[in-house]
Amino acid sequence: MNTVQENITQNKDRYLEELLELLKIPSISADSAYAGDVRKTAEYLSEKLSAAGADNVKIYETPGHPVLYGEKILGDKFPTVLVYGHYDVQPPDPLELWDAPPFEPIIKKTDRHPLGAIYARGACDDKGQMYMHFKAFEAMMQTDSLPCNVKFMLEGEEEIGSANLEGFCKKYADMLACDVVLLSDTSVIANDIPSITTGLRGLSYLEVEVVGANKDLHSGVYGGAVANPLNILSKMIATLKDEDNHIAIPGFYDDVETVTDAERTEMNKAPFSLDDYKKFLEIEEIEGEMGYTTLERTSIRPTLDVNGMWGGYIGEGAKTVLPSKAQAKISMRLVPNQDPEKITKLFTEYFTSLAPPSVKVTVKPHHGGYPAVTPTDTLEYKAAHMAMEKTYGKPPIPQRSGGSIPIVSMFEEVFGVKSVLLGFGLATDDIHSPNEHFGLFNFYKGIETIPYFYQYYAELKQSS
Ligand code: BES
Ligand code: MN
Ligand code: MN
């Protein structure tokens, strides 16, 4: 019989064809018009999971989009890995900025991806990365080399805050019992610099509204005498950070975990080129919190950003109007020890206090999430480290990420287990942006690495 790696080599073309089919289904969770496509994606995946050799494959209903589950149980004496992934994607807008339609995947060679990259919404986040696990599992099944119990849990609501996943995990806690959660929804530093994500930031997301007069007004007749909500909102937002880009909300930093100088020195040893960074983004200069490096600003420090701001007239030409209303979506990325609920409260109190009596302000919280850190002294981390070292030919670097996957801290709370963030994307893959893509090198490297994780994890567990 073939080895698992030989089996993978023989089936690469088929893996790609199946992924391209998966990417054609527009599983946009945020837009209810696509709810049918989200379900279709779960159905497509359920067929593939069964075909790969999983048992008890079933689509579970939730109050929102469904969860797909499937498992292969070998027996009590084997450790159990719970694979998590999300099959929903971000909306592709703005469509006009895509070089090709977002749900008609194409493969293109670029300098960064000389073997080619798949361009489509969800190619990297997270359909492509999730599908690596399907194929690695299939290859282990076909070569009779699966060394662990495996459970797959795939959700369709990650991009909108996973509102129903905690309920699902609690309801089916027995079915989902595991020793570790394994997910690929993060990135490596570069294709020749493997890394393992050891931290994720939390999130507090809010929408604010500033209202002045009861209707839009003529800006000549009333302008200068009645509050302009857009002017006021801009001023309030400008007050949220000082000249050093420190967040000015009282108490905001109170719980921020202090990272020792030694740890900071260590994390700044990770390969990083500020020149390449600026070139990629076509910017002359970077900007961020005084006293911290770019690597620190995007991992161990919290942030505050306006995600969108609107009001008044934004159509073609000019309209002289004094708007009645101004709105903005604001998010804060949080670091270990910060509590999203507490931060939301601090923001609301401070933001409301900034409003002059000429306007009314409301703050509406959206979803949030807790930060997470994963230790590097566990068997699962060691197994991931060994697996990457095997397939990349060099040891991976532990690195905290700036992104958020709120369910990682939820898994720890509900199941009492840690996660392994074994991601294979690149920070330059334009996830959530136009022209999202995923390198073929990355897709195949993931499929090749995952079976080693299972093998090493089973061996380490056995000898522990
Ligand atoms: N896969 C991303 C998170 C991510 C990206 C982590 C890159 C590390 C590196 C995930 O799908 C995502 O987009 N999360 C959201 C939060 C969620 C609550 C909508 C995020 O980070 O904005
Ligand atoms: Mn993701
Ligand atoms: Mn995402």
Side-chain angles (χ1 to χ4, degrees):
M1 189 186 271
N2 276 341
T3 66
V4 66
Q5 296 298 330
E6 282 163 0
N7 182 286
I8 290 170
T9 306
Q10 287 159 4
N11 288 292
K12 280 185 169 174
D13 293 343
R14 180 174 53 82
Y15 297 165
L16 179 57
E17 280 162 32
E18 291 175 12
L19 174 58
L20 296 180
E21 285 308 307
L22 174 63
L23 291 170
K24 286 180 190 166
I25 320 172
S27 52
I28 307 166
S29 51
D31 188 341
S32 55
Y34 292 88
D37 291 297
V38 176
R39 180 170 301 271
K40 237 171 87 185
T41 309
E43 284 161 4
Y44 177 84
L45 288 170
S46 86
E47 273 169 40
K48 294 297 176 203
L49 196 53
S50 296
D55 300 322
N56 301 321
V57 175
K58 189 175 153 185
I59 293 173
Y60 287 80
E61 298 305 327
T62 77
H65 300 299
V67 174
L68 173 64
Y69 178 81
E71 63 185 18
K72 186 73 208 175
I73 305 298
L74 306 174
D76 286 350
K77 42 183 210 305
F78 299 91
T80 302
V81 177
L82 177 67
V83 175
Y84 164 85
H86 65 92
Y87 64 85
D88 65 323
V89 301
Q90 286 275 328
D93 317 72
L95 282 175
E96 64 277 14
L97 296 184
W98 285 76
D99 295 335
F103 298 106
E104 293 172 29
I106 53 161
I107 295 170
K108 247 186 351 200
K109 291 189 170 132
T110 63
D111 289 349
R112 194 173 272 113
H113 291 291
L115 288 180
I118 312 156
Y119 284 75
R121 170 58 85 230
C124 175
D125 184 13
D126 180 41
K127 283 173 168 171
Q129 297 217 61
M130 180 199 67
Y131 207 61
M132 299 178 316
H133 288 271
F134 279 53
K135 297 298 102 178
F137 169 68
E138 180 190 88
M140 289 186 285
M141 289 298 290
Q142 288 184 358
T143 53
D144 221 352
S145 60
L146 181 72
C148 301
N149 298 319
V150 195
K151 299 176 175 181
F152 283 88
M153 177 174 69
L154 298 324
E155 76 157 318
E157 299 189 306
E158 196 275 344
E159 299 292 6
I160 50 171
S162 305
N164 296 298
L165 200 67
E166 183 166 351
F168 180 84
C169 289
K170 286 182 171 156
K171 184 165 174 192
Y172 297 103
D174 290 342
M175 175 176 88
L176 300 169
C178 58
D179 296 291
V180 65
V181 177
L182 177 64
L183 59 147
S184 298
D185 197 20
T186 51
S187 33
V188 287
I189 294 173
N191 280 351
D192 56 354
I193 312 171
S195 60
I196 298 176
T197 302
T198 52
L200 293 161
R201 288 196 281 196
L203 186 67
S204 163
Y205 202 116
L206 315 114
E207 196 165 320
V208 301
E209 187 181 75
V210 175
V211 182
N214 58 353
K215 61 193 134 214
D216 284 3
L217 301 169
H218 189 288
S219 66
V221 177
Y222 289 96
V226 175
N228 180 324
L230 272 167
N231 293 12
I232 289 173
L233 176 59
S234 312
K235 211 165 160 183
M236 290 166 73
I237 286 171
T239 312
L240 295 174
K241 283 189 197 178
D242 68 16
E243 309 88 87
D244 291 338
N245 277 309
H246 280 299
I247 294 158
I249 301 168
F252 184 85
Y253 291 99
D254 283 2
D255 300 328
V256 168
E257 164 210 60
T258 31
V259 179
T260 64
D261 286 348
E263 283 173 285
R264 287 179 65 186
T265 307
E266 194 53 40
M267 68 177 60
N268 282 301
K269 282 186 195 155
F272 175 76
S273 157
L274 192 54
D275 271 344
D276 290 351
Y277 192 77
K278 289 196 282 194
K279 244 181 238 146
F280 174 66
L281 301 172
E282 296 181 41
I283 50 175
E284 293 295 321
E285 204 35 90
I286 50 161
E287 199 200 276
E289 189 184 1
M290 180 87 111
Y292 295 92
T293 65
T294 300
L295 281 176
E296 292 169 338
R297 287 170 180 169
T298 55
S299 62
I300 57 162
R301 298 299 296 169
T303 64
L304 184 151
D305 278 293
V306 178
N307 300 96
M309 191 170 164
W310 67 101
Y313 183 68
I314 51 167
E316 195 182 333
K319 180 188 179 194
T320 47
V321 63
L322 199 167
S324 144
K325 244 191 215 180
Q327 284 161 279
K329 292 182 193 281
I330 299 175
S331 68
M332 289 162 283
R333 295 280 169 177
L334 311 177
V335 297
N337 282 342
Q338 283 186 299
D339 178 334
E341 280 172 32
K342 183 172 169 191
I343 293 296
T344 297
K345 195 164 161 269
L346 291 176
F347 175 94
T348 307
E349 281 166 11
Y350 183 58
F351 197 73
T352 321
S353 80
L354 295 174
S358 53
V359 295
K360 288 186 199 73
V361 172
T362 47
V363 178
K364 191 176 102 190
H366 280 284
H367 57 250
Y370 285 81
V373 273
T374 58
T376 54
D377 59 357
T378 60
L379 296 185
E380 54 264 27
Y381 186 86
K382 257 177 224 143
H385 179 101
M386 288 163 67
M388 273 200 152
E389 181 161 27
K390 178 82 181 171
T391 54
Y392 283 83
K394 50 173 103 161
I397 299 168
Q399 191 170 56
R400 290 206 207 176
S401 167
S404 307
I405 311 179
I407 44 85
V408 169
S409 68
M410 187 270 284
F411 291 152
E412 199 172 333
E413 204 187 293
V414 175
F415 302 140
V417 301
K418 289 285 182 184
S419 294
V420 173
L421 300 159
L422 194 62
F424 294 91
L426 295 179
T428 50
D429 283 344
D430 291 322
I431 63 171
H432 294 206
S433 296
N435 301 314
E436 173 177 354
H437 55 278
F438 189 38
L440 292 179
F441 171 90
N442 305 68
F443 178 55
Y444 294 131
K445 191 62 97 181
I447 300 172
E448 288 157 12
T449 306
I450 291 163
Y452 284 114
F453 171 81
Y454 284 85
Q455 184 194 324
Y456 296 140
Y457 184 59
E459 287 171 11
L460 288 168
K461 274 289 223 189
Q462 196 112 63
S463 56
S464 72

